[in-house]
Amino acid sequence: MKPSNLCEQFAEKLPQFRAGALAQELAKSLEAHKESCPDCTLLLKKDEALDGLIALPSELPAEPKSAIVDHIESLSESETTPIPWLWVGVLSALVLFTVIASWRPAKAPPKQTRKTWRQEKGLSKEDMPKEGYRDTRG
Amino acid sequence: MEAKDHTDIRSSEGFRSFALEKSDALYRIASRMVDRQGADDLVQEALTRAFASRSQFRGESAPFSWLCGILMNLCRAELRRRRVKSWFSLNWFVDFGEDAAPEMESRTTQSPIEQLEARERDRLLREAVATLPEKQKAALILVSFEGMSVRDAALCLETSEDAIWKSLSRGRAALRRTLDEAL
């Protein structure tokens, strides 16, 4: 393996290398490479310095935030009964489906023919004017 | 990370004492993942959900990893919500707001200049972490900042240990670059 590849590998595996989480053979090979490579030695130092920076006191609260503490103390069974959102969703979908499925457009009134008109008026066939007859009396 | 018998947290009292013990760590995680303003609400919501579903906890992971998993999911949802919101409001600025001036622990051994330097380093570090991609940020916060094991972090983030190592490697490289330029 070329030294440049080892440098890349060293950089890539640096967290595992530092944590001792690499296979023994690879760890040995990277350790040997680090000893002979000033770039990788510097990289390791920079990574250690990063840990130093992370470990510095930050915005870490000295005590848990009071709002959170109050919340923890107020946790009780009645307040935290989980809403079964899945079931709420399934039921809503079912209701919506039923409404849509049962909807039908209003039925149009049956078409009126001479026959139905005659039956409605209680007239016999003979009482009916002949087809094509037009009342011109005004 | 201290492992606690999972049967403890199934009782109300056990859960409350466990949550109190871990509340500062949860707050730190949420404030680094999102920000200080949103951290309070996120931790409270995570605790409410965890309390409600504590009977489902089977002890396959450490209780803290399980709790962190709930918190991390909420943090990621909040980050997504903010991304969408900023997209629609065309607010392209990173508003560090209150975060720009964190309430650092006052350390009497530090001179005012040292305190100022420490505050500046802290700001740079938090800004650098804030710019990392979500996965790298999450892995870094849990493992490098909170000292969680890679196995627990993988359980918490529902991913593989290899993926955590990879995210750590990339995240730390990005932090080194950013801080190299800034310091």
Side-chain angles (χ1 to χ4, degrees), chain B residues 89-114:
Chain B
S89 66
L90 295 177
N91 177 13
W92 301 99
F93 302 101
V94 179
D95 181 14
F96 289 100
E98 186 200 338
D99 274 16
E103 301 156 20
M104 293 184 63
E105 272 184 280
S106 63
R107 298 196 305 164
T108 48
T109 51
Q110 280 189 324
S111 72
I113 291 180
E114 281 172 337

Side-chain angles (χ1 to χ4, degrees), chain A residues 46-47 58 60 71 75 77, chain B residues 16 48 54 122 176 180:
Chain A
K46 281 184 178 176
D47 202 62
S58 174
L60 317 177
H71 181 73
L75 285 173
E77 308 291 347
Chain B
R16 275 195 285 270
T48 305
R54 67 191 189 284
D122 184 61
R176 285 196 305 267
D180 246 5

Side-chain angles (χ1 to χ4, degrees), chain A residues 1-13 26 29-30 33 40:
Chain A
M1 198 176 279
K2 289 176 187 173
S4 61
N5 283 347
L6 270 174
C7 287
E8 275 174 27
Q9 202 176 14
F10 186 81
E12 195 188 314
K13 302 282 181 192
L26 181 58
S29 127
L30 291 180
H33 168 70
C40 289

Side-chain angles (χ1 to χ4, degrees), chain B:
Chain B
M1 210 47 51
E2 190 195 339
K4 199 175 172 99
D5 183 2
H6 74 270
T7 52
D8 286 3
I9 66 161
R10 290 195 185 167
S11 71
S12 302
E13 204 42 56
F15 183 90
R16 275 195 285 270
S17 80
F18 174 68
L20 274 175
E21 187 190 318
K22 300 295 178 192
S23 58
D24 53 345
L26 292 170
Y27 177 74
R28 282 196 304 269
I29 290 171
S31 59
R32 285 194 174 108
M33 271 304 282
V34 182
D35 61 22
R36 290 162 62 84
Q37 291 94 326
D40 257 357
D41 290 343
L42 289 167
V43 172
Q44 288 181 37
E45 178 63 23
L47 288 169
T48 305
R49 290 190 187 192
F51 186 79
S53 58
R54 67 191 189 284
S55 58
Q56 291 159 24
F57 177 64
R58 297 275 170 261
E60 284 146 2
S61 60
F64 187 61
S65 302
W66 169 71
L67 194 49
C68 265
I70 296 173
L71 179 63
M72 281 301 199
N73 283 339
L74 287 170
C75 288
R76 284 184 285 199
E78 173 65 12
L79 288 173
R80 274 194 298 275
R81 194 186 65 79
R82 289 186 183 194
R83 267 200 298 273
V84 171
K85 198 176 164 191
S86 72
W87 177 264
F88 284 110
S89 66
L90 295 177
N91 177 13
W92 301 99
F93 302 101
V94 179
D95 181 14
F96 289 100
E98 186 200 338
D99 274 16
E103 301 156 20
M104 293 184 63
E105 272 184 280
S106 63
R107 298 196 305 164
T108 48
T109 51
Q110 280 189 324
S111 72
I113 291 180
E114 281 172 337
Q115 281 184 21
L116 204 66
E117 282 175 355
R119 182 165 284 189
E120 181 59 12
R121 276 198 304 266
D122 184 61
R123 186 185 64 80
L124 283 171
L125 190 60
R126 280 184 303 107
E127 283 183 17
V129 170
T131 57
L132 290 176
E134 210 174 279
K135 284 180 185 171
Q136 293 176 18
K137 193 201 292 188
L140 203 78
I141 289 171
L142 293 181
V143 179
S144 297
F145 283 83
E146 292 302 324
M148 193 182 268
S149 72
V150 168
R151 183 182 171 275
D152 283 347
L155 287 169
C156 168
L157 299 172
E158 292 169 354
T159 186
S160 66
E161 291 183 36
D162 269 354
I164 296 285
W165 284 121
K166 216 168 265 180
S167 295
L168 271 180
S169 174
R170 289 177 185 167
R172 291 181 69 96
L175 274 195
R176 285 196 305 267
R177 270 195 306 275
T178 311
L179 295 170
D180 246 5
E181 288 162 13
L183 292 173

